[in-house]
Amino acid sequence: MNHITKASWVLISIAGLLLASPALRAEGEDETAWNSTLKEKLFAGRTIEEDQQTIEITAPYRAEDPGLVPLQITSRFPQTAEHYIKNITVVIDNNPVPFSASFDFTPESGKAEIATRMRFNAYTYVRAIAETSDGRLHMAKAFVKASGGCSAPVGTDLEAARARMGKMKFKLDGDKASLNQPNPVQLLISHPNITGMQMDQISRIVLPAHYVTEVKVTFEGKPVLTAKTDIAISADPNFRFYFVPSKAGELKSEIKDNLGNNYSASQTITP
Amino acid sequence: MKPNQPRLRLTASALLLCLAIASHAETISIQEVAPGVYVHQGVHQLPDEHNRGEIANIGFIVGERCVAVIDSGGSPEQGLALKHQIGAVTHTPICYVINTHVHPDHIYGNLAFKAAGVSFIGHHKLGQAMALRAPFYREKARSELGFTLSAEHFVPPDQPVKDTLDLDLGGRTLRLTAHPTAHTDNDLSILDTQTGTLWLGDLLFMGHIPVVDGSLNGWLQEIGKLRSVQADRVIPGHGPVVAAWPLALTGEENYLKQLQTEIRSAIQSGKTIEQAMEEIGQSTRPDWRLFDDFHKRNIATAFAELEWEDD
């Protein structure tokens, strides 16, 4: 999505917020945005199967904090060279930028599973669309009641967040990795991930959008997880996923943000 | 003329009744918790169209020369009602409006007090917090509270407090202290030195579950420091109009400490934020009103903070 498109989405959304009457902001589980535009915009002309055999999505029906909604997508089968999930795209229908993230997996991922924390700006469906190695698309969706997650004030300790920006750490279950099987790992990224929607009408303080756009995790140089991310990812982006080490080696994360900053961090993995 | 008298009396009493209703609508219940210290008690409810966000403890302190308003209310109307109530109590002019922090239930009455000679006082980060939150808060007021706010309703401090500030009301001095990030990043407390009354705003919740919108660690640190403040009584932002000091801190401190301990241990043992939100602190449920509305959110906020506390 280019910047002009993004800006217009933000504008449309703000106009929508201002104009929408309570009656229009129905609590019904509406899929208009997906069916009328998003599906075609993001997956032009392709068939998307809604089935239970590929992936499952877990999100709270009522979000406690719209700026930090835990979201988990799990695959129904292990990654093998013959049959695996290539990509999972996450779309939040009624967010100002519905495209939220896209995660590329490989057979070496072990399990195509991702957990992260996202912002929800309105009552909406969140959907995960998985592309399997045979090129087919499969979708799972969940409805989430939350509002204001994108326009909500940024974390109050913005100074601390900026001082720590770009810092990353991996967390594994225990000290040792298990060889030749999927190991869960968590990547914590310190970044304020500002949406650009926290506008100011009084003192003209402007917080321009500043968020992580790319996350690339490799083990010994081979891709484990590659993600494109947008403003729906919560401050201090956090990803849980799997990787399969066949020997000791280096787990490395490289990220980019929309202002062109690059950061990297790595951790030695020992069996 | 005789036949007219009953009618006249009826009209007069109807008129009195109307006046009574009108004046009732324009004032607000208050209690004098120490000489010259008046508090209106809020309610333990989520802000909505029925209570119009008028849920916090708000009030004022009267000196010989000046009145200081402390938190202006959860709606523009509540600000007006508080102003009228002050007029019913004293003819001393209002010189100061002090906001304890940025949350809507404490600042939406500000505009009612805006006048020549009235100074607005708050934490040095309050102005920025108001500016950043105003668009979001205005939308929430429209959709959830049933009223519209203009930018003018967000009256930022013209006297920002960076550390402390002494305000002389005539015969009594208020000591204002700006705190590092705790409940929010713009908490300000007020000590009335004459009566030993400490007004904490939402640095102190009683009955209403504490809400973490700043820093869990920071809040616990501030509670530790506050304990040494010499005072006879305290006014919480939510809870009774007055309580014993420092005993009143116990419930909140225990809750926040339990969150801190259990979240640290969850992070240490590799639990996920989802697990933490389900499992932690459920034993404290009977202690608090609105537990289900804020507890899990507190965990999420604090978990995201504590993940980085060693860095």
Side-chain angles (χ1 to χ4, degrees), chain B residues 172-187:
Chain B
R172 76 196 307 162
T173 300
L174 303 185
R175 162 142 291 215
L176 278 51
T177 304
H179 297 267
T181 305
H183 166 61
T184 66
D185 74 345
N186 52 85
D187 302 314

Side-chain angles (χ1 to χ4, degrees), chain B residues 35-55:
Chain B
V37 180
Y38 297 85
V39 185
H40 165 76
Q41 186 171 17
V43 288
H44 294 333
Q45 293 173 4
L46 288 180
D48 61 23
E49 286 184 14
H50 302 289
N51 59 40
R52 300 170 55 81
E54 299 162 357
I55 58 167

Side-chain angles (χ1 to χ4, degrees), chain A residues 17 20 25 64-66 68 70-72 115 117 147-148 151-153 156-157 159 164 167-169 171 173 186 188-190 198-203 205 207 236 238 240, chain B residues 125 128 130-139 142-144 151 154 156 181 184-185 213-215 267 270 272-274 277 292-293 296-297 300-301 303-304 307-308 311:
Chain A
L17 275 178
R25 291 157 38 91
E64 308 297 338
D65 179 349
L68 204 168
L71 188 76
Q72 201 170 351
R117 303 164 189 174
S147 63
S151 48
T156 50
D157 226 344
E159 288 161 29
R164 213 173 51 202
K167 193 155 185 152
M168 286 186 271
K169 53 188 181 184
K171 275 190 173 182
D173 273 3
Q186 186 176 12
L188 292 85
I189 301 169
S190 185
Q198 292 94 354
M199 293 179 307
D200 171 22
Q201 300 180 337
I202 298 168
S203 64
I205 300 165
L207 276 184
D236 290 339
N238 186 303
R240 301 198 312 265
Chain B
K125 289 187 178 171
Q128 173 176 307
M130 279 182 176
L132 289 174
R133 292 177 184 226
F136 179 63
Y137 279 0
R138 288 175 66 184
E139 165 56 22
R142 193 192 62 74
S143 64
E144 292 173 16
F154 296 83
T181 305
T184 66
D185 74 345
D213 192 22
S215 158
I267 291 171
T272 64
I273 195 169
E274 293 94 325
M277 287 169 75
D292 291 333
D293 297 295
K296 285 186 178 178
R297 187 187 175 123
T301 305
F303 194 99
E307 279 174 328
W308 290 97
D311 295 88

Side-chain angles (χ1 to χ4, degrees), chain B residues 5 21 28 32 55 62 71 159 178 209 214 240 243 248 296 298 300 304:
Chain B
Q5 272 180 354
I21 290 167
I28 190 171
E32 190 173 11
I55 58 167
V62 183
D71 287 341
Q159 286 196 63
I209 187 171
K296 285 186 178 178
N298 283 342

Side-chain angles (χ1 to χ4, degrees), chain A residues 55-78:
Chain A
I55 49 168
E56 186 180 4
I57 185 165
T58 311
Y61 181 62
R62 186 174 289 280
E64 308 297 338
D65 179 349
L68 204 168
V69 181
L71 188 76
Q72 201 170 351
I73 298 150
T74 49
S75 68
R76 299 274 194 188
F77 52 85

